[in-house]
């Protein structure tokens, strides 16, 4: 290329592509206007000043610079050198084609390089797009079962495959490239009897047949006979010939089935009839259908009830199942599935719907491959469907029970932490009210805080009841008096316009129950019922009576065994529930009430109480038709003798001031509660030594064997050693030291284990701090001074 400083400098700048001169060390010496614009600069001066090293600033892959220089040094020039580069100023990527040569001095040393740069980004992108398109089409063709092909049928009848998909390996047993290289290979694979068919099809294509559909046989190189369905269509014609695309599908199995049906049709029908299946034979050309005697008997029809057409049975198919049945048929007609199979409901003569499994296959097809005759069976699967539905219901019930148990575990853990917080709040309230005195203006605010804390404690009680962790007093007692007492209270609470109707059996119906919780179940269910009326008039019906549940009914109800039960029902004529509400109604915190009008715990608590009583609760509700809850509690064995009353609680404990100087060891991992007890008892002269863990309390006892202590009070649920662990260790270290355990989850197991460990008292953390102080006072009073 001539130097831009000579006579061709105007041509240098006029070139539509970039032109340059660069030093051997990579500096830019000259650049024409096209190259300046390509690099995003405004002037040649700006470009030259900005370029430091072409190798690192120009090429995306710096190694291309070395390759470029190697070619120049070897050949003295470079032509069509394609690289991805950066536009110098904008750092955008682009593709270029470079041509260059080296200019040397008289001694052969390289003075500089001169060359051109052509922007070929659009061309590269187009090539990449075409390549990606081809790869996608190749991948798509490879996913289609069978062989996808593109072919040219020349005007002399010879063929040339332009493309054959990879399916040729599986279907024909040859490589796709073999068919492309040798178009006559397909004719050599044809069954000897198919030669005339191929010639006829070729002539039909040349005569202008646009769509070709047919079947033929091939013999693969390893000797396997296969039936192939061929379908192709014309794309265009030119001087070369007819260009077509199509697919080859393996229909060997349907053909074998068809041949087998032809060979043994009579025997097949007889065998099916003897097996109890109904047989049908459908002529798709005329629409006529033969129905066997066993098939008619299955539905209770006679031959006089049908006209003898397939439409007769289709008219008796359930409307919800008809569309899927027709889709399955069409899929088989088109050869997309080897056999027709569908499950649907059919109306019997007496109006019932029974489930049937229909199976069939096209045993005859015309020259175009369209089915002309379909033969198959109907099998009554009603009992199987019912069993499947029952199994689904059982699985849903099991998942629901597991979910409720998991939520109950979570709720119990949350309630434990709330108990600690509430105990600290209520205890500090006691101290604060004593500190400010009865006449202080803050007493009103403290009273409001106290009421809110009490309400929160009641909510915790509900959570514990829901999670089945609240302490229960299970006694054998008559259910009827409990229901009567709850109903008397409820009548005073009923909103205006709501009427309560009762249908109670006179039998006492003895059950093992916590009376308070059973009454809570009834109150919650009735409250839920009248709230559903939303201020409108309505009626609630409470029923109680014995129920004998057999094994089949127990299975339907779920979660209970056969036996004798007391059934407590609460029904209303309110708006009812939809399916989604019925499914979630027992979930904790789920409510359909507006924000602020319900906690969503009422029915969750009911569910927890019933399960804790080894009972079952069922729900029957339909939108617009009201709601009914049935609670089943197992009847208790025995003659109905009254249960002995519980021993009276201790009364008249010693006053706290009489216990001045006594020493209490208090263990709790909740620091605020430890400090609270220390201050509460310290006001009355009781010395409290606090510990944040059972381990530190035991270490203190070991380190101070002679230090007197009158009582050790420990929390049960703590990290590390539990309250029971501490009690057992204290029994070995100081057998005479009285021990009390405090827990938010007092139950029969804890009481029993505590007694075995020598614990003198198990206290409930749900009680107020006043109650805790009273219990400690009683224990100190009973301890020797």
């Amino acid at each position: 290329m001539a130097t831009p400083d000579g006579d061709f400098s105007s041509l240098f700048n006029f070139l539509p592509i970039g032109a340059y001169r660069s030093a051997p060390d990579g500096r830019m010496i000259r650049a024409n206007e096209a190259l300046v614009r390509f690099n995003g600069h405004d002037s040649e001066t700006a470009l030259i000043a900005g370029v430091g090293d072409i190798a690192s600033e120009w090429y995306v892959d710096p190694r291309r610079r070395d390759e470029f220089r190697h070619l120049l040094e070897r050949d003295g020039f470079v032509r069509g050198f394609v690289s991805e580069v950066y536009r110098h100023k904008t750092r955008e990527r682009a593709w270029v084609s470079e041509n260059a040569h080296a200019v040397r001095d008289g001694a052969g040393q390289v003075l500089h390089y001169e060359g051109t740069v052509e922007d070929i980004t659009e061309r590269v992108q187009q090539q990449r797009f075409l390549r990606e398109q081809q790869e996608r089409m190749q991948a798509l063709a490879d996913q289609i079962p069978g062989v996808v092909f593109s072919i040219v049928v020349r005007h002399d009848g010879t063929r040339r495959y332009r493309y054959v998909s990879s399916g040729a390996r599986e279907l024909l047993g040859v490589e796709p490239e073999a068919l492309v290289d040798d178009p006559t290979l397909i004719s050599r694979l044809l069954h000897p009897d198919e030669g005339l068919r191929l010639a006829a099809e070729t002539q039909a294509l040349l005569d202008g047949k646009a769509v070709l559909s047919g079947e033929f046989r091939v013999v693969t190189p390893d000797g396997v006979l296969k039936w192939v369905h061929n379908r192709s269509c014309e794309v265009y014609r030119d001087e070369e010939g007819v260009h077509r695309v199509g697919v080859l599908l393996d229909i060997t199995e349907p053909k074998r089935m068809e041949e087998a049906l032809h060979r043994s049709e009579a025997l097949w029908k007889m065998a099916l009839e003897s097996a109890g299946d109904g047989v049908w034979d459908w002529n798709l050309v005329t629409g006529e259908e033969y129905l066997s005697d066993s098939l008619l008997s299955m539905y209770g029809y006679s031959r006089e009830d049908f006209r003898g057409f397939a439409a007769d049975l289709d008219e008796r198919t359930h409307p919800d199942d008809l569309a899927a049945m027709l889709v399955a048929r069409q899929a088989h007609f088109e050869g997309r599935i080897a056999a027709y199979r569908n499950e649907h409901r059919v109306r019997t003569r007496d109006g019932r719907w029974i489930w049937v499994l229909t199976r069939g296959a096209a045993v005859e097809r015309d020259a175009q491959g369209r089915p002309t005759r379909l033969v198959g069976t109907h099998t009554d699967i009603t009992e199987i469907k019912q069993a499947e539905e029952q199994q689904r219901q059982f699985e849903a019930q099991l998942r629901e029970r597991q979910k409720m148990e998991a939520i109950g575990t979570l709720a119990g853990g949350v309630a434990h932490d709330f108990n600690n917080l509430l105990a600290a709040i209520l205890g500090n309230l006691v101290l604060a009210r004593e500190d400010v005195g009865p006449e202080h203006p803050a007493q009103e605010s403290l009273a409001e805080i106290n009421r809110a804390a009490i309400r929160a404690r009641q909510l915790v009680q509900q959570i514990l009841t829901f999670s089945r962790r609240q302490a229960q007093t299970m006694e054998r007692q008559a259910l009827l008096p409990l229901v009567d007492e709850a109903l008397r209270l409820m009548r005073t609470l009923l909103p205006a316009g709501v009427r309560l109707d009762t249908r109670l059996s006179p039998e006492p119906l003895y059950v093992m129950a916590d009376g308070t919780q059973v009454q809570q179940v009834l109150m919650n269910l009735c409250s839920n019922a009248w709230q559903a009326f939303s201020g409108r008039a309505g009626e609630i019906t409470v029923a109680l009576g014995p129920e004998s549940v057999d094994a089949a009914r127990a299975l339907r109800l779920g979660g209970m065994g056969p036996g004798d039960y007391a059934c407590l029902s609460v029904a209303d004529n309110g708006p009812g529930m939809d399916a989604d509400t019925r499914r979630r109604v027992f979930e904790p915190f789920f409510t359909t009430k507006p924000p602020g009008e319900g906690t969503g715990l009422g029915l969750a608590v009911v569910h927890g109480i019933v399960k804790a009583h080894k009972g079952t609760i069922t729900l029957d509700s339909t939108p617009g038709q009201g709601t009914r809850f049935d609670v089943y509690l197992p009847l208790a064995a025995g003659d109905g003798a009254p249960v002995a009353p519980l021993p009276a609680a201790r009364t008249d404990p010693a006053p706290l001031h009489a216990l001045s100087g006594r020493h209490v060891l208090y263990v709790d991992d909740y620091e605020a509660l430890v400090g609270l007890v220390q201050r509460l008892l310290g006001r009355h002269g009781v010395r409290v030594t606090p510990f944040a863990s059972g381990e530190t309390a035991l270490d203190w006892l070991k380190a101070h064997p002679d230090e007197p202590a009158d009582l050790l009070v420990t929390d049960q649920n703590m990290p590390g050693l539990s309250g029971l662990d501490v009690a057992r260790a204290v029994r070995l270290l100081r057998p005479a030291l009285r021990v009390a355990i405090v827990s938010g989850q007092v139950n029969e197991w804890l009481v029993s284990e505590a007694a075995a460990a020598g614990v003198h008292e198990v206290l409930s953390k749900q009680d107020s701090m006043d109650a805790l102080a009273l219990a400690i006072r009683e224990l100190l009073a009973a301890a020797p001074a």
Side-chain angles (χ1 to χ4, degrees):
M1 185 179 80
T3 64
D5 300 318
D7 295 335
F8 296 100
S9 59
S10 60
L11 176 62
F12 175 74
N13 282 315
F14 183 73
L15 283 174
I17 63 176
Y20 68 89
R21 176 184 291 171
S22 66
D25 61 2
R27 292 179 296 104
M28 181 69 71
I29 300 174
R30 288 297 309 274
N32 72 347
E33 292 179 4
L35 187 59
V36 169
R37 289 194 303 272
F38 175 82
N39 282 283
H41 286 283
D42 297 327
S43 66
E44 180 184 12
T45 303
L47 174 60
I48 292 174
V51 174
D53 182 3
I54 293 176
S56 60
E57 299 175 18
W58 176 252
Y59 296 102
V60 172
D61 183 356
R63 292 173 297 179
R64 295 293 287 167
R65 172 64 172 173
D66 297 332
E67 296 173 19
F68 187 83
R69 294 187 62 178
H70 172 72
L71 292 174
L72 281 173
E73 292 171 0
R74 188 190 69 184
D75 303 329
F77 64 87
V78 174
R79 291 193 180 94
F81 190 78
V82 176
S83 304
E84 188 177 15
V85 300
Y86 293 112
R87 298 181 192 268
H88 184 266
K89 184 175 182 179
T90 64
R91 306 307 292 170
E92 297 175 294
R93 291 190 179 195
W95 286 89
V96 298
S97 175
E98 296 183 79
N99 299 289
H101 70 274
V103 178
R104 302 176 186 271
D105 60 15
Q109 295 296 319
V110 175
L111 297 175
H112 53 258
Y113 301 118
E114 294 179 340
T116 60
V117 177
E118 181 181 2
D119 184 356
I120 60 170
T121 303
E122 185 175 350
R123 186 195 315 165
V124 170
Q125 290 174 343
Q126 289 175 347
Q127 291 172 348
R128 179 184 296 168
F129 175 77
L130 290 174
R131 185 170 61 254
E132 291 174 351
Q133 286 289 93
Q134 290 172 348
E135 290 173 353
R136 280 195 290 268
M137 293 301 296
Q138 176 72 47
L140 178 61
D142 289 341
Q143 295 303 311
I144 297 175
V147 180
V148 179
F149 64 88
S150 172
I151 192 172
V152 180
V153 181
R154 299 189 180 94
H155 297 295
D156 61 1
T158 60
R159 301 177 176 219
R160 180 173 70 87
Y161 285 99
R162 302 180 63 189
Y163 170 77
V164 178
S165 70
S166 61
R169 299 187 189 96
E170 183 176 352
L171 179 60
L172 304 176
V174 298
E175 292 296 321
E177 295 78 9
L179 281 173
V180 174
D181 296 339
D182 182 5
T184 64
L185 177 58
I186 190 69
S187 61
R188 298 199 298 275
L189 293 174
L190 286 175
H191 188 277
D193 296 340
E194 302 290 352
L196 295 177
R197 180 191 295 270
L198 180 62
E201 288 180 352
T202 302
Q203 189 58 47
L205 296 179
L206 294 174
D207 291 343
K209 187 168 185 178
V211 177
L212 178 67
S213 179
E215 301 169 357
F216 58 88
R217 287 164 291 174
V218 296
V219 180
T220 64
D222 54 0
V224 178
L225 175 66
K226 291 186 176 182
W227 276 94
V228 176
H229 177 72
N230 173 32
R231 183 175 179 85
S232 66
C233 64
E234 182 177 322
V235 180
Y236 63 90
R237 293 176 179 240
D238 60 14
E239 63 278 0
E240 185 179 4
V242 183
H243 295 256
R244 304 181 65 84
V245 293
V247 293
L248 301 178
L249 301 175
D250 188 349
I251 59 169
T252 306
E253 285 304 315
K255 275 295 184 180
R256 287 174 180 169
M257 182 185 297
E258 180 180 330
E259 292 170 0
L261 286 173
H262 278 300
R263 288 195 302 269
S264 58
E265 182 177 335
L267 182 62
W268 179 75
K269 286 186 177 181
M270 185 180 301
L272 290 175
E273 289 279 4
S274 63
D277 288 343
V279 178
W280 47 269
D281 190 338
W282 181 12
N283 186 324
L284 277 73
V285 178
T286 65
E288 296 174 304
E289 185 174 29
Y290 164 78
L291 304 179
S292 69
D293 291 337
S294 58
L295 189 146
L296 292 170
S297 177
M298 183 186 303
Y299 302 124
Y301 293 113
S302 65
R303 296 205 176 274
E304 289 72 25
D305 296 320
F306 288 90
R307 298 167 298 168
F309 289 89
D312 297 336
L313 203 53
D314 287 353
E315 291 172 357
R316 292 165 173 80
T317 299
H318 197 288
D320 294 346
D321 304 337
L322 190 59
M325 182 181 73
L326 296 177
V327 168
R329 281 184 191 170
Q330 191 62 30
H332 178 59
F333 291 166
E334 296 173 359
R336 289 183 280 116
I337 56 176
Y340 166 52
R341 188 183 189 280
N342 180 251
E343 296 176 0
H344 58 270
R345 287 161 289 182
V346 176
R347 187 179 66 251
T348 63
R349 187 171 189 176
D350 59 8
R352 293 180 298 111
W353 292 101
I354 66 171
W355 278 96
V356 296
L357 167 63
T358 179
R359 289 168 289 192
V363 296
E364 293 178 3
R365 293 180 180 267
D366 60 18
Q368 286 72 42
R370 292 173 299 195
T372 58
R373 183 182 175 201
L374 205 65
V375 177
T377 63
H378 276 186
T379 305
D380 187 347
I381 59 170
T382 304
E383 292 185 0
I384 297 175
K385 281 290 187 179
Q386 291 172 344
E388 291 175 352
E389 178 61 27
Q390 193 173 55
Q391 179 67 22
R392 281 193 292 269
Q393 292 177 359
F394 290 159
E395 290 174 355
Q397 290 172 359
L398 176 59
R399 288 193 296 271
E400 186 66 19
R401 285 198 295 271
Q402 291 172 338
K403 180 178 71 175
M404 297 301 287
E405 289 172 1
I407 295 175
T409 301
L410 174 63
V414 171
H416 169 72
D417 291 338
F418 270 121
N419 275 332
N420 283 336
L421 295 171
L422 290 172
I425 291 172
L426 289 168
N428 279 286
L429 273 172
V430 171
L431 297 176
R433 298 182 78 170
E434 290 180 2
D435 289 340
V436 302
E439 304 302 327
H440 197 280
Q443 283 289 355
E444 183 177 353
S445 299
L446 293 173
E448 286 298 323
I449 295 172
N450 187 71
R451 280 190 287 271
I454 294 297
R455 175 69 185 96
R457 190 174 65 187
Q458 292 169 349
L459 184 59
V460 171
Q461 297 288 85
Q462 284 190 311
I463 294 176
L464 287 170
T465 301
F466 157 73
S467 65
R468 302 192 296 279
R469 296 186 175 192
Q470 175 68 353
Q472 292 176 317
T473 305
M474 304 294 282
E475 301 173 346
R476 184 178 181 277
Q477 53 188 311
L479 191 57
L480 180 60
L482 294 175
V483 172
D484 272 332
E485 181 181 351
L487 289 174
R488 283 196 300 273
L489 173 61
M490 203 175 315
R491 291 184 190 278
T492 65
L493 302 176
L494 283 176
V498 177
R499 188 165 65 89
L500 180 64
D501 183 25
T502 59
R503 301 173 186 175
L504 308 181
S505 167
E507 300 180 43
L509 300 175
Y510 284 91
V511 294
M512 291 299 296
D514 182 314
T516 301
Q517 291 190 352
V518 170
Q519 290 179 328
Q520 184 179 0
V521 166
L522 181 56
M523 296 288 286
N524 282 6
L525 290 177
C526 289
S527 173
N528 193 73
W530 75 55
Q531 288 173 5
F533 294 135
S534 300
R536 296 185 296 272
E539 180 178 321
I540 300 173
T541 301
V542 177
L544 176 66
E547 290 276 356
S548 182
V549 179
D550 58 21
R553 188 179 178 194
L555 200 60
R556 287 196 307 273
L557 293 174
M560 61 190 297
D564 294 327
Y565 290 82
C567 179
L568 175 63
S569 299
V570 176
D572 65 68
N573 59 352
M577 306 179 192
D578 57 24
D580 184 62
T581 302
R582 291 196 302 270
R583 180 175 57 83
R584 301 186 59 194
V585 72
F586 293 116
E587 290 184 10
F589 310 111
F590 171 74
T591 177
T592 58
K593 301 181 181 72
E597 295 188 16
T599 64
L601 277 174
L603 290 178
V605 167
V606 167
H607 184 275
I609 292 174
V610 173
K611 290 301 179 184
H613 283 70
K614 297 181 174 58
T616 294
I617 182 169
T618 64
L619 166 63
D620 183 12
S621 184
T622 304
Q625 299 183 24
T627 300
R628 190 184 78 247
F629 289 94
D630 292 326
V631 176
Y632 294 86
L633 298 177
L635 292 177
D639 57 4
V643 178
L646 295 175
R650 298 186 301 272
T651 59
D652 195 23
L656 273 172
H657 65 77
L659 302 175
S660 179
R662 306 301 287 272
H663 185 196
V664 174
L665 309 179
Y666 196 88
V667 186
D668 199 306
D669 61 317
Y670 186 40
E671 184 178 349
L673 200 57
V674 173
L676 176 64
V677 172
Q678 189 174 13
R679 288 186 289 126
L680 182 65
L681 297 179
R683 289 190 175 196
H684 301 279
V686 177
R687 183 163 65 101
V688 178
T689 301
F691 301 98
S693 68
E695 290 84 351
T696 56
L698 295 177
D699 289 343
W700 186 91
L701 287 171
K702 294 173 184 176
H704 303 81
D706 300 323
E707 179 78 17
D710 302 293
L711 175 66
L712 184 144
V713 181
T714 176
D715 186 26
Q716 165 61 11
N717 296 315
M718 297 182 296
L721 296 178
S722 68
L724 285 173
D725 296 331
V726 173
R728 296 186 184 106
V730 169
R731 190 175 186 181
L732 297 176
L733 292 173
R734 292 197 185 186
L737 179 60
R738 298 175 71 84
V739 177
I741 288 180
V742 180
S743 174
Q745 301 173 12
V746 178
N747 51 42
E748 293 179 5
W749 175 86
L750 178 58
V751 172
S752 174
E753 290 294 312
V759 175
H760 293 79
E761 190 75 57
V762 177
L763 308 175
S764 174
K765 190 174 284 188
Q766 283 90 9
D767 294 334
S768 67
M769 294 308 296
D770 288 338
L772 179 61
L774 176 62
I776 293 175
R777 180 169 50 176
E778 293 178 354
L779 289 168
L780 288 173

